[in-house]
Amino acid sequence: DTSQVRWSWQFPNGKTANVQYPPAMFYNDAGQFFIHTEVVNSSGCKDTEIKRLLVNPLPTVKLPATLTTRTGTPVQIPATYFGGVVNYTWTNGESLNCTTCPEPVASPKFNTNYRVDFIDSNGCRNNGNVQVVVFCNNDNVFVPNTFSPNGDGSNDVFYVRGKGLSRVKTLRIFNRWGQVVFEKANFAVNDASAGWNGSYNGAKPVADVYVYQLEIWCDNSTVVKFEGNIALIQ
């Protein structure tokens, strides 16, 4: 037909078009709808067509807005998916145990936002986000309250232990007269060779109660400060 043809489209999203090939249409609601098309040529001949359109619902995910964990303590991201999800892709995978799992385990050193993009069996896509907040406090650090430097190979050294910790910033130990009997800065955590063996000025350890002051860097660059007592026993 070489005559001029007029097109009329009516779409269920409320839009219309008057060209043969209308632009792509987007639908915000799932359900079954109908597209109406009418075509008329210059002689007045016309035809109509109605086609059924099925709009599948988008898949969704239920995620907490925020998760909180201590440095050095992994946390699993609890995600519940709806809509037949078959594929998952997480961002910031360097601190996840898996980037294609539905509920990966996160081990961030710093506050981190994780995004998951997922696809259902119909090819429909959606995404979700969760923020993991990392904190560090005294609970990350273990400092014994007694040690016995008697050379028996058991608990001979007083040293700082813990997890989610970067390095000890400073450690000072005082005797009951306020003298500094041990002082060290910028050394590793969980390292017995960096601790105090109880000696002072080359003399043998003296059984007593000492006071320590500790500053320590966490993996997330915060600094924890506290003090306590340590009993040296023979």
Side-chain angles (χ1 to χ4, degrees):
D1 189 350
T2 58
S3 63
Q4 186 177 5
V5 178
R6 290 183 291 108
W7 293 82
S8 177
W9 296 82
Q10 292 182 348
F11 298 98
N13 61 359
K15 294 188 177 182
T16 61
N18 56 8
V19 294
Q20 183 175 0
Y21 302 107
M25 295 291 163
F26 298 91
Y27 300 89
N28 295 321
D29 299 312
Q32 181 174 279
F33 306 96
F34 295 91
I35 298 174
H36 297 261
T37 310
E38 181 179 272
V39 58
V40 182
N41 68 6
S42 56
S43 301
C45 298
K46 69 177 181 179
D47 195 13
T48 61
E49 186 73 63
I50 299 176
K51 288 293 185 181
R52 185 174 65 92
L53 173 67
L54 176 63
V55 179
N56 292 305
L58 286 177
T60 58
V61 62
K62 182 180 179 182
L63 284 167
T66 304
L67 285 176
T68 303
T69 186
R70 290 189 180 92
T71 56
T73 303
V75 59
Q76 185 168 31
I77 299 176
T80 304
Y81 299 87
F82 304 91
V85 177
V86 296
N87 183 273
Y88 321 84
T89 303
W90 290 85
T91 61
N92 292 316
E94 64 278 359
S95 56
L96 296 175
N97 70 328
C98 177
T99 59
T100 57
C101 304
E103 298 178 275
V105 175
S107 304
K109 291 184 178 181
F110 309 96
N111 295 349
T112 304
N113 182 73
Y114 295 99
R115 168 176 165 149
V116 58
D117 294 280
F118 48 94
I119 305 173
D120 68 10
S121 55
N122 296 311
C124 298
R125 300 171 179 267
N126 209 343
N127 62 75
N129 293 272
V130 58
Q131 178 83 359
V132 177
V133 176
V134 182
F135 69 94
C136 185
N137 59 22
N138 294 7
D139 292 338
N140 288 73
V141 186
F142 171 70
V143 180
N145 55 16
T146 62
F147 79 118
S148 54
N150 54 14
D152 65 354
S154 176
N155 200 27
D156 284 333
V157 179
F158 171 73
Y159 65 101
V160 181
R161 304 160 221 187
K163 61 181 180 178
L165 307 171
S166 177
R167 296 182 70 78
V168 175
K169 185 178 180 182
T170 57
L171 173 62
R172 295 184 182 91
I173 302 175
F174 305 85
N175 61 20
R176 63 174 60 248
W177 297 280
Q179 296 172 304
V180 178
V181 297
F182 180 82
E183 183 174 15
K184 198 166 188 176
N186 192 27
F187 60 95
V189 183
N190 301 312
D191 182 4
S193 66
W196 181 44
N197 63 6
S199 64
Y200 173 52
N201 285 338
K204 292 182 178 181
V206 176
D208 205 343
V209 176
Y210 298 82
V211 174
Y212 66 85
Q213 294 177 341
L214 177 65
E215 291 183 307
I216 190 165
W217 280 297
C218 298
D219 281 343
N220 64 352
S221 299
T222 59
V223 177
V224 173
K225 301 179 181 180
F226 62 99
E227 62 183 34
N229 297 325
I230 175 72
L232 191 160
I233 59 178
Q234 296 283 25

